[in-house]
Amino acid sequence: MPSVLMVVTAADTLTLADGTAHRTGFWAEEVAASHRILRDGGVDVRIATPGGRPAPVDPVSLDSRGGVGEAEAAEFRAYLDSIADELGAPLALADASAGDYDAIYLPGGHGPMTDLATDPDLARLLAEADARKLTIAALCHGPAGLVSATGPDGGFLFAGRRLTVFTDEEERQGGTGEGTPWWVESRLRDLGAVIAAGPAWSSTVVTDGNLITGQNPQSSADTARTVLAALTKGE
């Protein structure tokens, strides 16, 4: 059975450009849809966070403020409730080894900008996974976690790689707007990533070797299906 380490933020706030605290966490659809598709596809999914702290859901991702309808919100909430024990007592990233998994999967929400972007344990896991050519997937703001990783030469591990991410345009339209403390797309460009974004709010998935990235919440299901296909090909 293929196995995935789903690395989820443990941060419930993001400090905005003006110094105020913005309540956040993981985006409900990105964890719920991804986890369900992988699990239903026969994948063993283990959730991990920095320090093994509980993973908080962004409340905006479960109501109309996040563009989520009542029926969708109820579906996501029900699924998250079904894995509440895993979200409440996840594995600590420090205790994880990339060699124990076939893939690492980073869903988004603004939380990763607070903790995963600078987490040394995630950096270690990503470097180990890439060296082993394991699948590395990141969705929406999840690529903020990629920022943590350095290669053998000390540079950005994913420099020169094609990927997509929640774009600066989408951040301005439906994210934290001009309060954004740093722009994930721009940061990745500055580090040397080759951004291959689709139209705003489109389901866009980009594959570059073992790296699979999805652009936004709308890309959640397609990103998970792409990862599932990569893990099960040849079976």
Side-chain angles (χ1 to χ4, degrees):
M1 174 185 291
S3 60
V4 168
L5 183 69
M6 182 173 283
V7 179
V8 183
T9 181
D12 61 6
T13 59
L14 173 69
T15 302
L16 298 180
D18 64 2
T20 59
H22 171 75
R23 189 176 176 189
T24 187
F26 66 81
W27 199 258
E29 179 177 5
E30 296 173 33
V31 170
S34 298
H35 194 286
R36 176 181 56 79
I37 288 169
L38 292 170
R39 184 203 61 184
D40 290 353
V43 176
D44 179 36
V45 183
R46 183 77 185 270
I47 294 173
T49 66
R53 296 187 296 277
V57 63
D58 188 327
V60 173
S61 68
L62 287 169
D63 64 35
S64 59
R65 292 173 296 168
V68 182
E70 289 184 15
E72 283 185 308
E75 177 186 344
F76 300 148
R77 188 177 290 109
Y79 190 84
L80 294 176
D81 285 346
S82 76
I83 59 170
D85 289 346
E86 298 170 59
L87 292 167
L91 176 70
L93 283 178
D95 295 331
S97 173
D100 293 335
Y101 303 92
D102 299 296
I104 295 177
Y105 195 110
L106 283 67
H110 284 95
M113 296 173 66
T114 295
D115 57 2
L116 298 186
T118 57
D119 190 275
D121 293 309
L122 177 58
R124 170 184 56 81
L125 286 166
L126 291 171
E128 290 175 0
D130 198 53
R132 293 171 177 265
K133 300 302 180 186
L134 304 180
T135 296
I136 296 171
L139 172 62
C140 196
H141 287 86
L146 303 182
V147 171
S148 68
T150 55
D153 62 355
F156 179 48
L157 181 63
F158 300 100
R161 305 288 293 276
R162 292 179 69 254
L163 58 88
T164 192
V165 59
F166 195 72
T167 64
D168 294 354
E169 177 186 6
E170 289 167 321
E171 195 71 78
R172 289 187 173 92
Q173 291 178 357
T176 49
E178 294 309 315
T180 302
W182 58 279
W183 304 82
V184 183
E185 178 192 1
S186 290
R187 178 71 61 83
L188 288 166
R189 285 186 188 276
D190 290 346
L191 288 171
V194 179
I195 305 299
W201 312 111
S202 66
S203 178
T204 298
V205 179
V206 174
T207 300
D208 183 345
N210 64 319
L211 179 64
I212 298 170
T213 48
Q215 185 166 315
N216 45 37
Q218 290 78 7
S219 309
S220 299
D222 285 340
T223 302
R225 292 187 188 108
T226 303
V227 171
L228 181 59
L231 294 178
T232 57
K233 66 181 179 181
E235 288 190 355

